[in-house]
Amino acid sequence: MQNFSFYAPTRIHFGQGQVAQLAAEIPAASRVLLVYGGGSIKQNGVYQQVMAALSQHEVCEFAGIEANPEYETLLLAVAQAKTAKVDWVLAVGGGSVIDGAKFIAAAALLDEKIDPWLIVGNRTPIKRALPIAVVLTLPATGAESNFASVISRRATQDKMSFKNAMVFPRCAVLDPLLTQSLPARQISNGVVDAFIHTTEQYLTYPAEARLQDRLAEGILSTLIEVGPTTLASPNDIDARANYMWCANQALFGLVGAGQPQDWVSHAIGHELTTLYNLDHAQTLAVVLPSLLRYCFDDKLLKLAQYGRRVWGLSGSDSEVAHAAIDATVDFFERMGLPTYLAAYGLNADEVALAVGDLLPKHKAFPLGERGKLTLADCMAIVRMAG
């Protein structure tokens, strides 16, 4: 097992009715910037619960954070936070809103002489940030209790991340009831997103991280069990609760601790989102099977372990590994996410060339858990996803 350091300061309030905990978590009379997306929280009752919990607080609102939070939009929220002299940022939504809140919290206290865009890509240190609270309405990314954020800048075709312990949310509310109004597409995306977050940290090579392997396998097995139920039965709160907790734990930090990690599916997927406006999980569902097939020999032992422990397959390592990839593809398709580019009307050769032009701008090669994938390899992976 590799050396690691682990830090997870977020207090999580899980279960029904836990929005009320905000009243105790955010000091009374604090000025709070409430940030959210398109406004569905005002139709499904979440907004009313939040405002009831914040009845002793001064609240200003910023709506309109996109599914891939845009830098220019976030700058408007930063300006509002500064003008209102807010004490806290409260994100109500999914990973994109939370990622945006992390940027807002850091940029609001950044030295005026520093370009806020330098936060993205970790090109300037973040020495302080406004405290962040979260009410999660779309489980997928684990952003509610980690220190990572992904921000887009469409004008320059950038989709980049930053990580800093200063933007760990102080607290997060995870109430499965708040997910009941989600459309099927978002449930499909959330389940597959959480699944692939787990495989990026697990389907690499054996590293004697036995507990971490079994944590990953538990998350994957649970998602396979509850994902279709959550999609088909909005009133099954037990399924939703388990899906919500799986999505949190997939990127909580423990699965990848001491493990080699991959993240090539995300590197390529971010470019596909930027270029073709596909949902993040849609891009991952397309890229991951192709990546697993392209890197089959390097990932053989973990693929075979995955096939036996998660899918209950038997046979030789090679047979089990191939069947495990096929089972993964079938699961994504059953969850409603196609696993090939043609399903989105895209030509694989053209996409590979476009990714080849953009990816070197954002990633230093070689990539992958073994540090051996070149740009040509990444383009070949895209072509295999045709």
Side-chain angles (χ1 to χ4, degrees), residues 40-50:
S40 61
I41 64 169
K42 293 190 173 181
Q43 280 75 55
N44 59 22
V46 176
Y47 176 84
Q48 289 76 10
Q49 290 187 51
V50 169

Side-chain angles (χ1 to χ4, degrees), residues 214-286:
R214 285 178 169 83
L215 287 172
E217 291 152 4
I219 293 168
L220 297 172
S221 297
T222 305
L223 287 170
I224 291 165
E225 290 175 359
V226 305
T229 304
T230 306
L231 187 61
S233 304
N235 293 324
D236 191 327
I237 299 303
D238 288 332
R240 286 178 177 270
N242 280 281
Y243 150 52
M244 178 174 257
W245 191 233
C246 281
N248 176 273
Q249 290 297 292
L251 272 184
F252 186 68
L254 286 174
V255 168
Q259 290 269 49
Q261 301 183 30
D262 189 348
W263 300 107
V264 170
S265 293
H266 276 71
I268 297 173
H270 284 172
E271 309 301 8
L272 297 180
T273 295
T274 298
L275 289 163
Y276 305 107
N277 202 32
L278 297 178
D279 295 346
H280 177 58
Q282 291 174 334
T283 70
L284 299 180
V286 166

Side-chain angles (χ1 to χ4, degrees), residues 33-37 60-65 73-74 76-78 80 104:
L33 178 65
L34 168 61
V35 297
Y36 53 96
C60 57
E61 301 178 25
F62 184 90
I65 294 180
T73 300
L74 298 178
L76 298 175
V78 171
Q80 183 173 341
I104 295 163

Side-chain angles (χ1 to χ4, degrees), residues 123-173:
R123 293 167 295 165
T124 191
I126 300 173
K127 298 179 180 179
R128 57 193 184 129
L130 292 169
I132 303 166
V134 173
V135 174
L136 183 67
T137 62
L138 173 54
T141 70
E144 65 275 7
S145 59
N146 66 39
F147 67 131
S149 172
V150 180
I151 306 299
S152 297
R153 193 173 188 177
R154 195 159 298 279
T156 53
Q157 289 194 311
D158 289 314
K159 184 174 182 180
M160 300 167 60
S161 66
F162 72 92
K163 296 179 180 180
N164 192 284
M166 297 302 300
V167 298
F168 266 113
R170 300 284 183 90
C171 65
V173 173

Side-chain angles (χ1 to χ4, degrees), residues 202-203 205-210 212-214 216-217 259 299-313 317 320-321 324:
Y202 168 67
L203 289 179
Y205 57 83
E208 279 297 322
R210 302 186 187 193
Q212 293 91 316
D213 277 359
R214 285 178 169 83
E217 291 152 4
Q259 290 269 49
K299 295 179 181 288
L300 173 60
L301 294 178
K302 288 301 284 285
L303 278 168
Q305 177 179 311
Y306 164 62
R308 291 188 177 101
R309 293 186 181 178
V310 174
W311 292 106
L313 302 170
D317 282 355
V320 170

